[in-house]
């Protein structure tokens, strides 16, 4: 077997409308189902399906509502998803613009890191799922040890 690419991410969320607004209106994902403004019927699963504006594949993100009483993320070290990364461009100017938009929207900013080969902003969605928004640093040779082995430093935008 050979994995060809990461196909999609599925997240459980407390409130589908709130999360759909975040991924659609703040991060710019294209909502496929249900069509924006159309709530699921009373017998339908409360979910929302998205793909990135590039339209690379049928869907890249699925949100499934589990309700307000769902357990939150445990504190401290834990097993499971740490974050997922979304490439948003190729320059720090694009990261700065994203930071300004995120700040304006009230999105929780968790930090910013220089990973040598990438520069990253870390944010939290409304349910506390961590997302890395990153740009590839131009001119980095991914085959060199420095590209993946350089210690992370703070990024100042």
């Amino acid at each position: 077997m050979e994995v060809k690419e990461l196909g999609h991410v599925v997240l459980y969320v407390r409130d589908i409308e709130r999360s759909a607004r975040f991924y659609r209106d703040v991060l710019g994902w294209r909502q496929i189902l249900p069509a924006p403004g159309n709530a699921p019927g009373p017998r339908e699963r409360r979910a929302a399906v998205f793909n990135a504006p590039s339209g690379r594949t049928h869907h890249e993100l699925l949100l499934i509502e589990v309700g307000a009483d769902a357990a939150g993320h445990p504190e401290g070290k834990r097993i499971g998803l740490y974050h997922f990364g979304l490439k948003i461009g190729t320059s720090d100017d694009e990261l700065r613009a994203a930071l300004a938009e995120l700040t304006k929207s009230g999105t929780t900013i968790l930090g910013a890191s220089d990973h040598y080969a990438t520069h990253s902003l870390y944010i939290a969605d409304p349910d506390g799922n961590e997302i890395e928004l990153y740009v590839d640093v131009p001119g980095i040779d991914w085959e060199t040890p420095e590209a993946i082995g350089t210690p992370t430093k703070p990024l100042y935008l």
Side-chain angles (χ1 to χ4, degrees):
M1 173 176 54
E2 177 184 333
V3 174
K4 306 297 184 196
E5 62 187 31
L6 178 63
H8 59 270
V9 173
V10 179
L11 298 174
Y12 290 129
V13 299
R14 286 190 173 98
D15 179 315
I16 195 67
E17 284 84 14
R18 177 183 71 172
S19 293
R21 275 192 309 276
F22 175 78
Y23 284 95
R24 182 186 61 239
D25 301 342
V26 176
L27 295 186
W29 287 74
R30 188 172 70 114
Q31 187 171 346
I32 302 166
L33 294 171
N38 291 346
R43 300 186 72 175
E44 294 179 275
R45 179 171 66 176
R46 296 187 52 82
V49 181
F50 298 82
N51 70 4
S54 67
R56 178 186 65 86
T57 187
H58 44 80
H59 81 285
E60 293 164 305
L61 178 66
L62 169 61
L63 306 176
I64 300 172
E65 185 177 77
V66 292
D69 61 346
H73 296 279
E75 294 294 322
K77 291 183 180 181
R78 64 185 185 277
I79 302 298
L81 181 70
Y82 168 30
H83 68 262
F84 61 95
L86 302 172
K87 184 176 179 180
I88 65 166
T90 58
S91 74
D92 283 352
D93 286 340
E94 289 164 295
L95 274 182
R96 284 184 199 95
L99 178 58
E101 288 180 42
L102 294 164
T103 301
K104 187 176 177 180
S105 74
T107 299
T108 300
I109 310 294
L110 302 172
S113 295
D114 176 348
H115 299 290
Y116 179 75
T118 62
H119 288 171
S120 305
L121 284 174
Y122 292 88
I123 64 172
D125 79 359
D127 290 294
N129 295 303
E130 189 167 328
I131 304 165
E132 176 185 7
L133 304 174
Y134 72 93
V135 298
D136 288 332
V137 175
I140 298 298
D141 178 0
W142 284 92
E143 299 296 320
T144 64
E146 299 86 37
I148 56 173
T150 300
T152 300
K153 299 183 293 189
L155 178 66
Y156 303 101
L157 295 170

